[in-house]
Amino acid sequence: MFDTFLGLPLHVLVVHAAVAGIPVATVLTAAVAVRRPWRERLIWPVAVFDLVMLGVTYLARESGEAFLRRIGESSAVTEHREIAGSLPYYVLALCATSLFLALFCRRRRGPLGGLVSLVAVAVAAATLVQTARAGHSGSQAAWGDIVRSTSER
């Protein structure tokens, strides 16, 4: 089910949505966390987008496992699998913070709103870093040997 789409490995297609969409989700979540007027208007669309990115992350993980069965293990693939394997938990935490902001802190001032905003920014930053690490390790697994074995023309 998660193996191919129109004859291409699904993972290769889905990861582009993940490595582009998750950073957008982190920036949006952090922005609505620190700007209360934005949070009042935009937190629900941001929370929904975060949930969509959670689904994309799940699809990337499952399609990655299917792709692995096709290409086999290598040290670079193993490293990517270890790094990217935790990404769904980071995106889940991002979803949880944006949903918490939407449900309990949309219009609230005070210590709870400030604390949750701080946590949301920290989770967004950690998710952004982990997404970059996963994307970089996947790129290294896919293209590292090719770049090392060729030269510029």
Side-chain angles (χ1 to χ4, degrees), residues 38-138:
W38 294 355
R39 184 169 58 230
E40 290 174 2
R41 289 192 319 266
L42 299 173
I43 187 56
W44 280 110
V46 170
V48 168
F49 185 67
D50 290 351
L51 287 169
V52 169
M53 287 301 101
L54 181 61
V56 167
T57 306
Y58 171 77
L59 187 56
R61 184 184 70 195
E62 293 301 313
S63 63
E65 293 296 324
F67 193 41
L68 178 65
R69 288 189 292 276
R70 279 188 177 270
I71 63 170
E73 286 282 338
S74 71
S75 61
V77 170
T78 300
E79 180 182 356
H80 173 61
R81 188 177 187 197
E82 290 172 1
I83 292 170
S86 65
L87 190 56
Y89 302 107
Y90 283 83
V91 180
L92 180 62
L94 187 71
C95 289
T97 56
S98 64
L99 287 171
F100 195 90
L101 281 168
L103 292 170
F104 301 111
C105 304
R106 195 167 127 224
R107 293 198 165 115
R108 182 175 293 168
R109 292 180 190 252
L112 180 62
L115 177 63
V116 175
S117 293
L118 181 64
V119 169
V121 169
V123 168
T127 304
L128 181 62
V129 168
Q130 191 65 7
T131 302
R133 290 182 67 225
H136 181 75
S137 66

Side-chain angles (χ1 to χ4, degrees), residues 1-42:
M1 177 172 177
F2 296 106
D3 189 25
T4 62
F5 180 76
L6 298 175
L8 296 173
L10 183 61
H11 186 67
V12 175
L13 302 172
V14 172
V15 295
H16 288 86
V19 298
I22 295 170
V24 171
T26 64
V27 170
L28 291 173
T29 301
V32 298
V34 298
R35 298 280 302 161
R36 196 169 58 85
W38 294 355
R39 184 169 58 230
E40 290 174 2
R41 289 192 319 266
L42 299 173

